[in-house]
Amino acid sequence: MIFADKLIQLRKRSGWSQEELAEQLRVTRQSVSKWEGGQSIPDLDRLLALSQLFGVSTDYLLKDELELPNAEAPAAADPGAYALRRVSMEEASAFLKVKEETARPVAYATFLCIISPICMFLLAAASEQPGARISEGLAMGAGLIILLCLVALAVAIFLAVGSRTAGFLYLEQEVFETEYGVAGMVRERREQFKPRYTRCNILGTCLCILSLVPLFGGMMVDENNDMLMICMLSITLFLVGIGVIFFIRAGILWESFDKLLQQNDYTRQRKARNRLARTISTVYWLTATAIFLAISFHSMAWDRSWVIWPIAGVLFPAVMAVYHTFDRG
């Protein structure tokens, strides 16, 4: 067993995360991560500290042929508690490939959800114009049919993508180990992807900010012209949708690297907490959907009830922030 694997084994037997071990040694978590990824080895002082910390010899740490005697096993270890799933290089590569292939469909499906009300808005506004050849009821009905078709298509895409990635769900929910070389490969690919990730975030942010320009432009031209304002709103939603495509395509791949490295939102501690967070998120959005449908069908003001979604989107981070505050407390 090589040094990297020994360090991972000893750390997990002691029940420590990379951050906790780094604090013990007064180094950065990135240093511990590099040691465990086989990218570097600690200096002599750190080796001595590791030897004392885990109660093993430096010979055991440095010599691949030496195995840990039963007498040296840390007392805190539970033989059945650390039988973690090991992710091979092939599994990690397959996961990244699947995520790269499914990022685009997920982004486009989200785009369809965002632009789905546009036809309904335009038809409703057209029906109210003088001399319109389409009744308000027909416009609303046709608009709703188009909206539901687009949402149904998006849901079908989400389900298809979910079936392809279901086999890798454990990377998000469970604590696991990676075989030698996997962490180094993932970091290398993340560094290669970082410029593209930055560009996508810049483009997405700029498009979302600039999406308000059509609305302001419409207000400057004639804010009392309902048809003009609906057209400008439609352009705004379209630009937001394009911006979201950039965010999602880059974000899915970036999160994939975090999942394999068990960093940021996917550390050992956060995985345990995320189960409750996912439940809260599901309940929140189901409640928002129920409120939207109840208000819309009761008032039949579909052209105005859509504002529930941006309000829910703004409030959601606040709800999660409150949850994380109490969770840390």
Side-chain angles (χ1 to χ4, degrees):
M1 187 185 297
I2 63 172
F3 169 77
D5 290 336
K6 290 177 180 179
L7 180 58
I8 292 171
Q9 183 186 65
L10 291 169
R11 175 175 64 79
K12 292 185 180 297
R13 282 184 175 179
S14 298
W16 292 333
S17 65
Q18 288 184 342
E19 291 85 352
E20 290 168 334
L21 177 58
E23 290 177 3
Q24 295 277 350
L25 299 173
R26 297 184 180 179
V27 297
T28 63
R29 186 201 56 76
Q30 288 76 12
S31 295
V32 175
S33 182
K34 286 182 178 180
W35 298 342
E36 294 187 354
Q39 294 177 296
S40 65
I41 60 173
D43 58 28
L44 181 58
D45 290 339
R46 303 299 180 216
L47 283 170
L48 292 173
L50 286 169
S51 173
Q52 295 173 357
L53 193 61
F54 293 123
V56 296
S57 66
T58 54
D59 280 347
Y60 165 72
L61 292 173
L62 294 174
K63 294 181 180 180
D64 295 350
E65 65 274 12
L66 290 184
E67 295 299 326
L68 185 65
N70 292 333
E72 291 191 57
D78 180 354
Y82 302 102
L84 302 180
R85 182 166 182 169
R86 291 181 67 82
V87 178
S88 67
M89 184 71 74
E90 290 75 18
E91 285 179 294
S93 299
F95 171 67
L96 292 176
K97 182 181 179 181
V98 167
K99 283 297 185 178
E100 187 172 0
E101 292 173 349
T102 56
R104 181 180 297 180
V106 170
Y108 289 161
T110 307
F111 173 77
L112 290 177
C113 291
I114 293 173
I115 67 169
S116 60
I118 288 180
C119 287
M120 184 175 63
F121 295 160
L122 292 174
L123 290 172
S127 68
E128 296 178 358
Q129 297 301 305
R133 297 184 179 181
I134 182 173
S135 66
E136 183 177 352
L138 179 59
M140 188 62 65
L144 281 173
I145 290 174
I146 295 173
L147 183 150
L148 292 174
C149 287
L150 291 176
V151 172
L153 177 58
V155 170
I157 294 173
F158 288 139
L159 292 175
V161 168
S163 67
R164 290 193 63 188
T165 58
F168 299 102
L169 194 60
Y170 69 93
L171 294 175
E172 180 179 340
Q173 299 179 352
E174 300 176 12
V175 178
F176 57 87
E177 295 178 346
T178 55
E179 293 184 355
Y180 179 70
V182 172
M185 178 274 290
V186 175
R187 289 191 185 89
E188 182 179 354
R189 292 187 60 171
R190 184 174 64 175
E191 285 302 312
Q192 294 173 351
F193 180 73
K194 190 173 183 178
R196 178 183 166 192
Y197 175 72
T198 302
R199 287 196 304 270
C200 287
N201 279 330
I202 292 173
L203 287 171
T205 301
C206 290
L207 282 170
C208 288
I209 294 174
L210 293 175
S211 66
L212 296 174
V213 171
L215 279 178
F216 293 146
M219 293 172 62
M220 293 171 61
V221 174
D222 185 2
E223 64 179 341
N224 296 318
N225 188 329
D226 291 340
M227 189 65 190
L228 174 63
M229 293 305 298
I230 289 295
C231 288
M232 294 301 102
L233 173 62
S234 300
I235 295 174
T236 293
L237 290 177
F238 191 83
L239 291 175
V240 169
I242 295 176
V244 168
I245 288 177
F246 285 109
F247 284 135
I248 291 179
R249 289 190 63 181
I252 286 178
L253 292 175
W254 192 259
E255 276 201 346
S256 301
F257 299 132
D258 283 346
K259 289 176 183 178
L260 286 171
L261 296 173
Q262 299 190 90
Q263 295 178 351
N264 297 322
D265 290 333
Y266 300 99
T267 59
R268 179 197 295 256
Q269 295 84 354
R270 290 194 179 184
K271 282 181 179 179
R273 297 170 183 166
N274 283 346
R275 293 189 182 94
L276 179 57
R278 285 192 293 271
T279 302
I280 293 174
S281 176
T282 301
V283 171
Y284 178 89
W285 288 112
L286 287 175
T287 302
T289 302
I291 293 173
F292 168 72
L293 293 175
I295 293 176
S296 299
F297 279 113
H298 177 73
S299 64
M300 294 306 294
W302 294 86
D303 58 330
R304 294 189 295 274
S305 61
W306 64 271
V307 299
I308 291 173
W309 293 113
I311 292 173
V314 170
L315 291 177
F316 180 68
V319 171
M320 297 309 297
V322 171
Y323 158 70
H324 287 304
T325 299
F326 282 101
D327 184 53
R328 284 193 295 267

